[in-house]
Each structure stands twice: as C-alpha cells, then as structure tokens.
Amino acid sequence: GAVVSQHPSRVICKSGTSVKIECRSLDFQATTMFWYRQFPKKSLMLMATSNEGSKATYEQGVEKDKFLINHASLTLSTLTVTSAHPEDSSFYICSAPAEETQYFGPGTRLLVL
Amino acid sequence: QKEVEQNSGPLSVPEGAIASLNCTYSDRGSQSFFWYRQYSGKSPELIMSIYSNGDKEDGRFTAQLNKASQYVSLLIRDSQPSDSATYLCAVNMGYSGTYKYIFGTGTRLKVLA
C-alpha cells in the first residue's frame, strides 16, 4: 500500500505559540490530502480537505484562521496550529488517497502547556 | 446528517473464536466501504475495502456488505490477542473520485488469551 509520513510525531509547546505539522506522500502524488483530529477514546473527526493549488476546504466548526493548511506540492501538505491553547492538545492525523483508498500518516501528538 | 454507526463495545471474544463487528450507515447512495484497525496511540491502518454486495475475504478477515440494509460487517476468524484494537468503519460519502470518508466511532475488540 501507499506510504504517508508525518512530522513531527510528537510536539510539546507553550500556549500561544504556533506549531507546524507536515504530511508527505512518499511514493505517490496526492492532489488532495485530509486532516483529522482525534481526542482520546473518540473517533476521527475530519477537520479539512487540503487541495494542491487551491484553498483548503474546512469542515463546519473548524476555524480556518486557527488551523492554517497549505498544500505546497503534490506530495506535501502542512497544518499550522496558530496561537495554540491547551484545548488544541490532540492527536492530529493526515491521510492521502491512493488506489481509491485513504492511507493514513502515523499521526502527530500535540500537547499544549 | 450523514452518519456511520458502530457499537463502541468492548467486544470480548476468546482466542480462536470468530469476532463479528457491525456497522450501519445512513446514506443509501454510498458506494465505498472500508474497515480500519487502530491500535491505541496509533493511526488507523487499512484492513479491507468492499464495494459490492456480498462477501469479500482476505486471509482471516471477511467483509460483508448489504446495501439494501445499509449494513457492513467484518468477521475475524481465529481471533488472536494481537487483533485486540479498535476497528473503525468508514464510508465514502463523497461523489465519485473523492475520498471524503465518514468514520464510525469504532468498536473496541478484546481477544482474551
């Protein structure tokens, strides 16, 4: 299957700072990538769809100015959590479609102190 | 609102038994269905996809789809303790060529040694 990587795998930051998470498709190109957030013992919640060459599409209730998404190339999408607060602490996972299936990155665990 | 429903469990089965995981979905027009396995603290990994009514087998796993009843299930034969995880049902509710999945909340499976 296709491989998706994420970096960093874990990040701890102070409240008010910004954090950038990278998502890369390693062996295929992806014009679309997806960003999810998962709280403990909860299901995956789609945050936004990242589109190469155009603006991201955000799900209802997700603040686009807080969660900045940039699909810089056919293999890279970034999610920047701006002015992070403790309630933003979560497990962030990206995915990319290949062969009619979504493949997930390993996730980034964010802890905001 | 489009929904995917799963029993949260935990579903406990003895080692060697068959585990049966169920999922229902609300959008009758859905065409693609997926089962993912998620270990605690990890991102989801694809187990199987199914697109047509009936059964699809892959090793110890069998996916079953009944579009008329809007029901998809996953059977795990000869369950092993290593199968203990949360199993997520995902339905592609986007139009053809898109990959916007709706995830169920997941069923936690415990295989008892």
Side-chain angles (χ1 to χ4, degrees), chain B residues 51-63:
Chain B
Y51 305 94
S52 304
N53 279 328
D55 295 358
K56 179 181 178 182
E57 185 175 321
D58 184 359
R60 295 188 295 114
F61 300 97
T62 299

Side-chain angles (χ1 to χ4, degrees), chain A residues 38 43 59 97 101-102 104-105, chain B residues 36 38 43 46 99-101 104:
Chain A
Q38 188 176 37
S43 187
E59 295 301 302
T101 301
Q102 276 201 45
F104 287 87
Chain B
Y36 287 84
Q38 187 176 24
S43 69
L46 180 69
Y99 302 91
K100 189 171 182 177
Y101 290 11

Side-chain angles (χ1 to χ4, degrees), chain A residues 34 36 38 42-44 46 59 91 93 97 99-107 109, chain B residues 34 36 38 41-46 49 51 88 98-101 103-106 108:
Chain A
F34 300 90
Y36 294 84
Q38 188 176 37
K42 300 295 184 182
S43 187
L44 291 167
L46 178 65
E59 295 301 302
F91 191 40
I93 312 173
E99 304 157 358
E100 300 186 0
T101 301
Q102 276 201 45
Y103 291 91
F104 287 87
R109 194 163 299 282
Chain B
F34 305 86
Y36 287 84
Q38 187 176 24
K42 303 294 184 182
S43 69
E45 55 180 325
L46 180 69
S49 59
Y51 305 94
L88 300 171
T98 68
Y99 302 91
K100 189 171 182 177
Y101 290 11
F103 283 86
T105 53
R108 187 174 162 215

Side-chain angles (χ1 to χ4, degrees), chain B residues 21-38:
Chain B
L21 306 164
N22 304 315
C23 171
T24 59
Y25 58 95
S26 63
D27 185 5
R28 186 171 291 279
S30 300
Q31 297 296 322
S32 308
F33 308 87
F34 305 86
W35 282 100
Y36 287 84
R37 176 174 62 197
Q38 187 176 24

Side-chain angles (χ1 to χ4, degrees), chain B residues 55-107:
Chain B
D55 295 358
K56 179 181 178 182
E57 185 175 321
D58 184 359
R60 295 188 295 114
F61 300 97
T62 299
Q64 299 174 319
L65 175 61
N66 184 327
K67 290 185 180 179
S69 300
Q70 296 174 236
Y71 176 95
V72 58
S73 64
L74 179 70
L75 300 178
I76 306 175
R77 290 182 298 281
D78 189 22
S79 295
Q80 301 297 309
S82 58
D83 294 326
S84 298
T86 297
Y87 289 79
L88 300 171
C89 173
V91 178
N92 185 355
M93 294 190 182
Y95 54 83
S96 178
T98 68
Y99 302 91
K100 189 171 182 177
Y101 290 11
I102 304 295
F103 283 86
T105 53
T107 298

